[in-house]
């Protein structure tokens, strides 16, 4: 039995209309009720059963707290919150001495429609491709797993989001879009595949006109569609942020890119034609041609009337203000998803309390309670989570061992 099948065998695959031990009010949310790991990072075997509310993981640096969040992030399309190579996720001893390097993550995910069993990982039979099973059946494509639950995360590495290059902001935005619209995963995969093929042909000087035209048509159709999905969410987020009267600052968001400008000025079908023409011009050596959503950026500015930073680009704001802006955007996204789907996303908040003052910590915990969404939070100091909701569970993490702990006073 491979590790993926082993993980999925930890519980019945049949859907449950009312998960055992789950309070009725919890069914208005989607949450991870059981997490099972096999040969994942520093965990040889782990099964963790939790309640629908907040999950607080505390322990020393390097104990494996973030690894647990990373495992849950694999219940979404992509390569997880670290963007790691799949083979590097396997526990080190499983990659040495000719071992397979296989690993598995499985979860019992509860929601209004019952319980779903999701499993993912690398198997011995397919060591280079992540496998996904839903209720014991193979599933293909990022959209299949994204339809089961939305997963959004904030990590310390993202504190530089507004200072890094556009690629980081595109990935951040696309994760939000995919959690809101599962079909975005397929659009991105199709566009990226065609883009890579076309780039290889251009680099190698190969390919005939028909081959290029087919790839460019794929890029135009899927590229405009994914850009339109980004624009739709950005518009919704701006409205949600403007309507929010909470302690975290609002933000003004805008898409910056040639395709984004075309979409704002003309119908999508005309924007597709413009993309095809631009790609053709690029092949002919026209400088500045080759438009596509892979060149777009997300512009963010702070909205804080009467504050000196009002209207200031996020990149020029203080470190604390940038963190607050990120939290504000993620909370607004969670509210939007709850309005659209009836349930909010699972939030993974790594070291979230470290740079927040007491007032903003209380505001964050109150907002999570109000959203009725499951949040997994990590930190080295349990005392920083004293104001989290009464339903929260606390665990101590120590070198691959996870044990329940008491709420701090």
């Amino acid at each position: 039995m491979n590790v993926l099948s082993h993980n999925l065998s930890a519980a019945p695959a049949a859907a449950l209309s009312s998960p055992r031990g789950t309070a009725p009010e919890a069914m208005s949310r989607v949450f991870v009720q059981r997490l099972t790991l096999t040969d994942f990072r520093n965990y040889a075997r782990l099964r963790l059963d939790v309640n629908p509310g907040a999950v607080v993981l505390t322990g020393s640096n390097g104990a494996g707290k973030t690894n647990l969040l990373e495992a849950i992030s694999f219940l979404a399309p992509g390569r997880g919150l670290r963007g790691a190579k799949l083979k590097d996720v396997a526990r080190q001893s499983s990659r040495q001495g000719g071992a397979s390097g296989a690993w598995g993550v499985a979860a019992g995910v509860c929601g209004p429609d019952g319980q779903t069993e999701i499993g993912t990982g690398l198997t011995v039979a397919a060591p280079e491709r992540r496998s996904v099973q839903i209720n014991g059946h193979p599933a293909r494509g990022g959209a299949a797993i994204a339809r089961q639950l939305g997963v959004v995360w904030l990590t310390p590495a993202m504190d530089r989001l507004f200072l890094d290059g556009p690629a980081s902001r595109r990935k951040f935005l696309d994760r939000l879009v995919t959690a809101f619209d599962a079909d975005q995963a397929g659009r991105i995969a199709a566009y990226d595949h065609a883009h890579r093929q076309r780039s290889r042909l251009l680099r190698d000087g190969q390919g005939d006109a028909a081959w290029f035209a087919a790839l460019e048509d794929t890029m135009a159709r899927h590229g405009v569609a994914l850009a339109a999905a980004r624009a739709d969410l950005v518009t919704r987020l701006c409205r949600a942020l403007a309507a929010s009267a909470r302690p975290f600052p609002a933000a003004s968001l805008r898409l910056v890119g040639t395709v984004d400008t075309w979409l704002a000025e003309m119908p999508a079908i005309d924007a597709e034609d413009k993309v095809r023409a631009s790609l053709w011009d690029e092949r002919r050596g026209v400088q500045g041609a080759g438009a596509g959503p892979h060149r777009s950026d997300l512009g963010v500015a702070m909205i804080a009337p009467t504050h000196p930073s009002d209207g200031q680009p996020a990149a020029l704001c203080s470190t604390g203000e940038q963190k607050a802006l990120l939290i504000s955007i993620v909370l607004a996204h969670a509210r939007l998803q709850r309005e659209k789907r009836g349930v909010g996303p699972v939030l993974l908040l790594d070291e979230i309390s470290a740079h927040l003052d007491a007032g903003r910590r209380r505001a964050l915990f109150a907002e999570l309670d109000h959203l009725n969404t499951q949040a997994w939070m990590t930190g080295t100091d349990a005392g920083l989570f004293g104001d989290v909701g009464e339903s929260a569970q606390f665990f101590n993490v120590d070198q691959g061992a996870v044990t329940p702990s008491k709420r701090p006073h």
Side-chain angles (χ1 to χ4, degrees):
M1 179 184 294
N2 63 49
V3 292
L4 182 57
S5 298
H6 173 80
N7 274 5
L8 285 172
S9 67
L16 304 177
S17 59
S18 180
R20 183 179 300 176
T22 301
E25 63 270 18
M27 297 312 294
S28 61
R29 71 178 86 181
V30 169
F31 60 96
V32 175
Q33 187 180 47
R34 183 193 65 258
L35 180 67
T36 309
L37 308 183
T38 304
D39 285 331
F40 184 90
R41 293 294 188 184
N42 65 326
Y43 294 94
R45 296 284 188 278
L46 175 74
R47 171 169 169 156
L48 184 62
D49 295 272
V50 299
N51 295 329
V55 179
V56 180
L57 306 167
T58 60
S60 61
N61 291 326
K65 304 183 301 295
T66 304
N67 292 345
L68 292 172
L69 267 57
E70 183 183 26
I72 299 171
S73 74
F74 276 105
L75 303 178
R79 298 193 302 178
L81 59 78
R82 286 188 173 107
K85 295 180 179 178
L86 296 177
K87 63 186 175 86
D88 293 340
V89 171
R91 196 166 60 100
Q92 187 172 7
S93 61
S94 75
R95 292 183 271 134
Q96 294 175 340
S100 66
W103 57 269
V105 173
V109 176
C110 297
D113 298 325
Q115 180 166 302
T116 302
E117 299 295 329
I118 303 175
T120 187
L122 289 187
T123 65
V124 176
E128 299 298 327
R129 185 183 183 90
R130 181 157 76 106
S131 299
V132 176
Q133 291 184 16
I134 298 175
N135 286 335
H137 301 288
R140 292 191 62 185
I145 195 168
R147 288 192 179 95
Q148 304 306 313
L149 79 165
V151 182
V152 176
W153 55 83
L154 283 178
T155 69
M158 294 169 63
D159 289 350
R160 288 187 51 83
L161 184 75
F162 302 123
L163 302 176
D164 288 341
S168 296
R169 290 183 287 278
R170 286 195 299 270
K171 289 180 180 178
F172 170 69
L173 177 59
D174 281 331
R175 280 196 298 271
L176 297 183
V177 176
T178 300
F180 192 76
D181 176 2
D183 290 332
Q184 183 77 342
R187 299 177 191 119
I188 294 171
Y191 181 87
D192 286 348
H193 180 69
H195 184 216
R196 286 194 301 270
Q197 284 191 308
R198 180 178 180 274
S199 297
R200 189 179 303 117
L201 294 179
L202 287 173
R203 184 180 64 246
D204 298 341
Q206 299 177 352
D208 57 25
W211 195 350
F212 273 109
L215 292 173
E216 290 165 1
D217 178 69
T218 298
M219 290 175 65
R221 290 184 292 104
H222 291 286
V224 168
L226 75 87
R230 287 174 180 170
D232 176 66
L233 181 62
V234 165
T235 299
R236 293 172 185 262
L237 281 172
C238 285
R239 291 172 182 164
L241 287 161
S244 176
R246 291 173 170 83
F248 292 97
S252 171
L253 312 180
R254 65 188 182 95
L255 287 166
V256 183
T258 302
V259 174
D260 309 296
T261 300
W262 289 339
L263 267 174
E265 296 175 344
M266 63 188 69
I269 192 168
D270 293 335
E272 289 180 16
D273 289 340
K274 295 278 281 185
V275 172
R276 292 186 188 94
S278 180
L279 293 172
W280 162 241
D281 285 343
E282 184 185 36
R283 274 194 279 144
R284 293 191 299 125
V286 176
Q287 191 169 358
H294 63 286
R295 298 179 183 270
S296 296
D297 196 0
L298 176 66
V300 180
M302 186 170 174
I303 300 177
T306 74
H307 192 279
S309 296
D310 184 40
Q312 188 165 258
L316 301 180
C317 292
S318 71
T319 301
E321 288 171 338
Q322 290 180 17
K323 184 80 168 187
L325 284 170
L326 273 174
I327 294 173
S328 184
I329 292 169
V330 167
L331 292 177
H333 172 268
R335 293 194 294 272
L336 284 175
Q337 185 166 331
R338 185 166 185 80
E339 290 172 7
K340 179 182 179 182
R341 301 175 62 172
V343 292
V346 171
L347 299 178
L348 309 177
L349 307 176
D350 194 19
E351 297 290 346
I352 192 64
S353 296
H355 301 294
L356 297 179
D357 59 36
R360 278 189 169 159
R361 284 199 302 272
R362 287 192 294 270
L364 172 62
F365 300 150
E367 180 70 357
L368 295 176
D369 244 11
H370 176 75
L371 284 169
N372 196 31
T373 191
Q374 187 183 53
W376 292 64
M377 296 178 278
T378 68
T380 55
D381 183 359
L384 296 178
F385 297 94
D387 294 317
V388 75
E390 290 299 321
S391 63
Q393 282 183 287
F394 286 76
F395 295 90
N396 183 67
V397 182
D398 184 13
Q399 299 306 319
V402 183
T403 55
S405 60
K406 294 182 179 180
R407 170 189 289 273
H409 297 294

